[in-house]
Amino acid sequence: MLDIETESLWSHILGRAMKGELKGKRLESVASDMVTWAAWKRDHPTTTVLALTRTKHRSYTSDFYTNPSKFVVGLAADGARHCSFATLMRHPLVNFECGEPLVISYDPVSTSARIFSREIAERVLTFEQSRGGFRDTETGSTWNRVTGIATDGPLKGSQLKAIVGIVSYAKVWSEFHPDSREIKPRGASNSARR
Amino acid sequence: MNQVVLTIGLTCTMTFMAANCSCQEQNQKESRRFNPKIVLSKPIRPIIDAPFIPGADASAEVVTDNELVLGVVIDGESRAYPINMITGPRREIVNDKLGGLAIAATW
């Protein structure tokens, strides 16, 4: 990417200027969702939507649906980590660590993958899948996977911190983060942390 | 990031050369590997005034229910960028303002 004001060059995936006057500066990442239009407008009824024409470039939507293993959701905090969408389709709720205890929640209908911190009120929770969202095994509270807010149970009303996850082609992610470690569900082979 | 608002356009894409250095320091490694390649013959005009419509008004011509979008909420204001509209070098960056924040939706 290039900014018009200084003509510095930026790495899109790293969000950082690599060359030019602003070299080293970072852009603040804003948590976003890659999700179906149906799910987005249901959860955000007052949303606006970009109204350009569709481009002639390959349809990302069909590529994603036919080849989910080509895509990952990644983050780079304490070292880079990534999880394949092929994994998430089989294991939609994965507890893991990346500098801090985190969880990925995947919804196959909307195809959204969201990452939340598992730390709340000075404790660390462990999550499991439940109807409409997920539940923590420590208190049995149920959580809304869109907002990260507990809707029921002892922690009702608490809100998990949303973490920015980057959806990317697996190949591109590994080019920019060659040492990225794959996130696998616990109990799967190779789940021992390296 | 200091308080400068940037307008972002795409005139080149990044490639990494194979990292064949023994250097330990991450920044130096990245600088050496950073090898941007110009893939567009002339700079494109950055997108700064893309049209938006209320989601409720969007017909299937604009976006269908199963098409993927990039969605964001800032300060209560929500917006979706259908990914099939932002693929390709001329569309990959949308300079925008949402909830009072200057943002770039990128693909």
Side-chain angles (χ1 to χ4, degrees):
Chain A
M1 306 194 297
L2 172 143
D3 72 88
I4 303 302
E5 286 75 9
T6 73
E7 298 191 347
S8 300
L9 298 181
W10 301 74
S11 165
H12 155 234
I13 198 169
L14 299 176
R16 187 162 85 230
M18 309 296 281
K19 215 167 190 174
E21 183 187 321
L22 296 179
K23 180 177 175 179
K25 298 288 186 203
R26 290 175 181 275
L27 298 172
E28 181 192 335
S29 287
V30 176
S32 60
D33 244 332
M34 190 192 79
V35 67
T36 60
W37 171 237
W40 183 261
K41 67 180 175 183
R42 176 198 67 211
D43 294 334
H44 307 278
T46 61
T47 187
T48 47
V49 63
L50 179 66
L52 296 170
T53 55
R54 293 179 184 79
T55 73
K56 294 184 175 72
H57 293 265
R58 102 224 269 163
S59 169
Y60 174 78
T61 293
S62 57
D63 202 11
F64 179 82
Y65 284 130
T66 53
N67 294 297
S69 59
K70 276 168 76 172
F71 301 93
V72 299
V73 55
L75 64 165
D78 181 28
R81 303 214 65 189
H82 63 279
C83 190
S84 162
F85 275 89
T87 299
L88 290 173
M89 285 175 177
R90 293 190 308 272
H91 303 275
L93 202 293
V94 182
N95 296 278
F96 69 106
E97 282 86 29
C98 184
E100 58 179 306
L102 302 172
V103 62
I104 303 180
S105 165
Y106 176 68
D107 170 35
V109 174
S110 65
T111 76
S112 80
R114 291 200 179 85
I115 303 178
F116 294 100
S117 167
R118 292 190 283 121
E119 273 185 291
I120 193 148
E122 290 170 15
R123 62 197 299 185
V124 176
L125 303 177
T126 314
F127 293 101
E128 58 188 11
Q129 190 79 339
S130 77
R131 267 176 77 91
F134 46 85
R135 177 175 52 230
D136 69 88
T137 57
E138 285 77 10
T139 74
S141 303
T142 50
W143 303 77
N144 179 299
R145 65 170 304 282
V146 174
T147 60
I149 296 175
T151 54
D152 215 339
L155 294 176
K156 180 174 177 177
S158 304
Q159 183 167 28
L160 301 169
K161 182 178 71 168
I163 303 293
V164 176
I166 296 175
V167 176
S168 168
Y169 282 99
K171 197 160 156 306
V172 172
W173 183 261
S174 72
E175 277 180 17
F176 283 84
H177 300 284
D179 299 325
S180 182
R181 292 180 301 131
E182 188 175 0
I183 296 163
K184 293 216 152 133
R186 289 170 182 173
S189 58
N190 299 329
S191 66
R193 270 182 287 153
R194 287 188 270 153
Chain B
M1 181 72 210
N2 50 19
Q3 296 299 310
V4 171
V5 177
L6 303 175
T7 314
I8 299 180
L10 177 70
T11 61
C12 63
T13 192
M14 315 297 177
T15 61
F16 270 173
M17 297 186 331
N20 275 330
C21 65
S22 56
C23 171
Q24 300 298 314
E25 214 274 330
Q26 181 65 15
N27 283 340
Q28 285 188 24
K29 233 197 262 187
E30 282 177 355
S31 299
R32 217 172 295 190
R33 282 155 54 192
F34 179 69
N35 184 30
K37 206 172 14 179
I38 295 182
V39 295
L40 297 175
S41 54
K42 60 176 181 194
I44 57 162
R45 191 179 69 82
I47 297 176
I48 55 170
D49 50 8
F52 294 94
I53 60 175
D57 295 350
S59 67
E61 292 253 308
V62 177
V63 56
T64 64
D65 277 359
N66 72 329
E67 277 182 294
L68 297 173
V69 304
L70 180 67
V72 63
V73 182
I74 299 176
D75 203 17
E77 231 186 295
S78 49
R79 180 160 290 167
Y81 306 81
I83 291 175
N84 290 337
M85 287 175 192
I86 57 175
T87 47
R90 295 182 185 281
R91 294 281 190 86
E92 280 169 347
I93 303 169
V94 179
N95 294 278
D96 200 359
K97 196 155 186 181
L98 191 70
L101 193 67
I103 58 171
T106 70
W107 181 250

